[in-house]
Every structure is written in C-alpha cells, then in structure tokens.
Amino acid sequence: MRYRKFKADFIFDGKNILGEDKVLITNENGVIETIVNEAEAGDGVQAFKGWLSPGFINCHCHLELSHMNNVIESGTGLVDFLITVVGKRGFEKAIIAEAIKAADTEMYENGIVAVGDICNTADTIPAKHVSKIRYYNFIEAIGFTNNNISIVFERFIKLYNNFIIEELTDASIVPHAPYTISSAMFELINNASAGKIVSIHNQETEAENELYRTKTGDFFKLYQQLNINTGFFQPYGKSSLPSYLTLLSKAKNLLLVHNTFTTQADIDFAFQQSKANQQQVFWCFCPNANLYIENQLPDIKLFIDNDCNIVLGTDSYSSNYSLNLLDEMRTLQTHFPFLETERMLQWATYNGAAALGIQDRYGSFEKGKQPGILLITNFRDKKLMQTSAATRIV
Ligand SMILES: [Zn+2]
C-alpha cells in the first residue's frame, strides 16, 4: 500500500485546527488513514502553504437554474424574484444542459464534494450521472390548495421515481416553502418523506411572517399573479415557522434554508419540535443570495448563541454570481467580522455532511472517510481575504 502525506500551515480536520507540526496521511485513493506528529510521519511529506480542509458540502443549490446567470435583477425582493423565476426559467434544453454541466464542474473545482440540490425537473439527471460530486436530490413539491391534491402530488412522485430509476437514490420529496404548500399537501409530503432528509425555504422575507400573522402583505401579489384563490389560507396569528413546522414531524433531518427573518421565539419552537419528534434541525445560510434578493442577512450571532446546527449553501445562479462556498464564507466574515474561519469551515464540512446524512464518507479527516482534501490559501490573521481561494488537491 502506498501512502500520501500532507502538511500545511494548518490542518482543519472538520472541527478543529491543528498546528503545522501535524501530517495528514491517506492511502493512494485519498481515504484517511491518520493524522500524526511530523516526527513520526517518515519521508515523502508534501508541504503546502495555507490550510488543508475536508471537501465542502453545499447544502442548498438549484443546479437546474444555472442558465439564469444575470437574468434576474438583484434587489427586487423575494416576491418579484419568484414571479420572475417562474416567468423566465424556460430556455432551450441544450442551453440548460450546458449550463448545468458547467456549474457542476465549477463546484467540483472550487472544492465542493456534495450538494443538496432542489429539483423541479429531471434536467439535471444526465449531468449527475457522470458528476464527481455526490448529490442529495430534493424533489420540490408545490401545491397551493387542497383541491385535486393527490393528482398534483402524483407529478412529484413521478419526478422522484425518475431519479430513483436512474439510481440517484439519495432523494426525497420536499416542500418548496410554507406559503406554496397547503395543509393537505404538507400531509402527503410528511408521509412520503418519513425518516428522510427534508429541506424547506424558511423565512426568506418578512412578508412570509406577515402572511402567517395577519394574512396580509406582498405574498398576495404572488398569489394574484399565479391566479391562486387564497380562500384556503387561514392566518395563524404567529410567524411562519411555528405555523408549519409541526407538519414536518416525520423527517429525520430538517434543513431550514435562509432564515433571514427568524427570531429567538422561532428557534425555541424549532428546538422543542425537534426534541419531541427526535429530529435534527439544520439552519442553512445562503448569504450571497440573501443580499442579491432582499439585501438583508440573517442574525448569525443569534443562531450561534443558541448553539444551532449551522450549514451553508450557494443557492442558484438565479440569485448568485458564483457557486462557491468560500465566497459565502467571505461575505459572512465581511458582515460579521467576529466570525472565526474555522467555525465557518465546520459549517461547510462536518455539519454539512451530517445534514445530508453522508458523514460516513464526507466532512472530516477521520480514519476510513474519503472526504476530499482542499488547500485554502491566503489568510491574514486566520481570516479570509479577497484573494483567498480553495483548490482541490485530492
Ligand atoms: Zn433556494
């Protein structure tokens, strides 16, 4: 057996940073053997300038929207953004396929090894077949009313089966967002995804909370535009999260995405629910998309103070300029300078792998795992700089 040995300024192992006297040893396929002191490593150690890290996990993407780069103006707010996506997402199949392939390659090259990917179509299946990235496919259901709900749901089961038949078996049917899912639709999703990983866009705009509190606000514009009868919708008198979270009681892991307008009371409610249902809740932040759409970021410190499981996502090219987790970390550190790089790296590696249920292989330098090895360069006082970049060395 041939071994490969790596050292750098620091080794981030998925949770902690280890000093420069450590050497990471893998077998020839990049499967982790051990981390030892340099004195015990023997010869043939490759030395790098920068930090070594396990590969990144992008917990929220819409690969199938990769052709929408620069199609939607930034700063419109979520409701106008959604209306524009629905109106403009149709392109020639060949253009869509080409953009999907390019985005998959881009993510791989900048260090992403696994992706939680939202799917409204089967467009990404060919690219996923040949991709070096591992995908968890979230088949996204949308169903506003309780009428004909089982017929509507059939469509999502069919799409789900498309992925399963193609042996893309890391998949589950998930709700798009609370405001696009009726109570009957929530029930079908909850049953279909029992014991699986479920993702939902959560509290991306204040209008979502307003809708649930008082049945007023910007979302009525969306419903009107889509010709949706809002008679079914009952205001709950509280914010969005406590109004719907009980309807996702059967998922193993719950991935709440965005959380831009989430409060302490919402976090408390989520903790209670997850305990009662023996679930794990993960809070996924996509800061560049938040700035693109709403020009507002979640209260990151609130989630840290509450010991929340935090993960990161890029969202899609319809609301971002890159699919690069280091760009997301850089944005967070710019707006929240107290954030240590190693804390965000744990979100992007160890936590992300746990959220997608793939920690047997990904997310940390532990014996037997094959998480990929990244070199991250250009730090100042352990903080990221504009020139920092992640490249793959294994
Ligand atoms: Zn999204």
Side-chain angles (χ1 to χ4, degrees), residues 60 62 118 201 257-258 315:
H60 186 72
H62 305 241
I118 304 286
H201 294 87
V257 181
H258 291 307
D315 218 335

Side-chain angles (χ1 to χ4, degrees), residues 49-341:
K49 190 110 204 66
W51 296 24
L52 300 183
S53 165
F56 294 153
I57 318 290
N58 179 2
C59 281
H60 186 72
C61 187
H62 305 241
L63 188 63
E64 64 189 23
L65 297 179
S66 297
H67 60 290
M68 297 193 74
N69 194 2
N70 285 322
V71 172
I72 304 176
E73 244 179 273
S74 67
T76 60
L78 181 66
V79 171
D80 283 322
F81 174 83
L82 290 172
I83 291 169
T84 317
V85 172
V86 172
K88 290 194 174 169
R89 64 176 293 168
F91 272 67
E92 262 175 60
K93 284 272 176 208
I95 292 176
I96 293 175
E98 208 44 55
I100 287 170
K101 239 171 76 188
D104 174 76
T105 304
E106 177 197 344
M107 286 198 280
Y108 184 76
E109 283 173 356
N110 66 38
I112 291 169
V113 292
V115 176
D117 192 46
I118 304 286
C119 311
N120 302 114
T121 68
D123 290 350
T124 56
I125 288 178
K128 283 171 179 168
H129 261 307
V130 294
S131 177
K132 294 177 191 150
I133 293 176
R134 170 131 167 211
Y135 284 92
Y136 194 101
N137 300 294
F138 295 117
I139 311 304
E140 188 173 72
I142 292 179
F144 292 89
T145 71
N146 287 335
N147 301 336
N148 297 324
I149 201 74
S150 41
I151 297 168
V152 175
F153 196 64
E154 269 303 309
R155 230 181 35 232
F156 307 120
I157 293 180
K158 232 168 119 183
L159 182 57
Y160 172 82
N161 287 338
N162 274 342
F163 281 79
I164 301 298
I165 289 163
E166 297 281 341
E167 293 176 0
L168 298 166
T169 51
D170 279 350
S172 46
I173 300 180
V174 305
H176 161 251
Y179 52 82
T180 52
I181 305 290
S182 69
S183 55
M185 184 59 108
F186 260 121
E187 200 180 329
L188 292 173
I189 294 169
N190 198 26
N191 290 331
S193 297
K196 295 200 163 206
I197 298 164
V198 167
S199 130
I200 183 167
H201 294 87
N202 177 63
Q203 297 176 304
E204 194 174 354
T205 172
E206 186 55 32
E208 182 179 319
N209 287 327
E210 192 185 345
L211 176 74
Y212 279 86
R213 276 199 197 97
T214 53
K215 199 180 171 179
T216 56
D218 237 14
F219 271 102
F220 280 87
K221 198 164 131 192
L222 176 73
Y223 293 144
Q224 235 168 24
Q225 195 88 17
L226 300 174
N227 258 327
I228 294 180
N229 180 340
T230 55
F232 73 95
F233 189 88
Q234 294 301 318
Y236 286 75
K238 41 192 178 186
S239 68
S240 152
L241 184 146
S243 307
Y244 76 81
L245 206 65
T246 53
L247 305 174
L248 294 172
S249 58
K250 295 182 180 174
K252 178 177 76 174
N253 290 356
L254 265 181
L255 200 51
L256 306 179
V257 181
H258 291 307
N259 317 304
T260 327
F261 295 87
T262 300
T263 64
Q264 180 67 53
D266 296 323
I267 293 173
D268 290 343
F269 189 89
F271 268 119
Q272 258 171 38
Q273 274 304 301
S274 61
K275 216 171 147 197
N277 298 323
Q278 295 180 312
Q279 299 174 305
Q280 284 230 75
V281 172
F282 293 87
W283 306 85
C284 180
F285 298 130
C286 308
N288 284 336
N290 297 150
L291 292 176
Y292 194 106
I293 298 174
E294 290 272 331
N295 198 22
Q296 166 97 29
L297 289 172
D299 182 354
I300 302 290
K301 191 167 180 304
L302 178 71
F303 293 88
I304 292 173
D305 290 346
N306 278 280
D307 250 336
C308 293
N309 293 320
I310 297 173
V311 298
L312 297 177
T314 60
D315 218 335
S316 77
Y317 261 121
S318 65
S319 60
N320 207 339
Y321 302 102
S322 68
L323 303 180
N324 185 335
L325 281 185
L326 207 68
D327 286 345
E328 304 297 326
M329 290 184 239
R330 202 175 353 242
T331 295
L332 284 176
Q333 214 166 46
T334 303
H335 288 81
F336 305 97
F338 68 88
L339 271 176
E340 310 93 346
T341 305

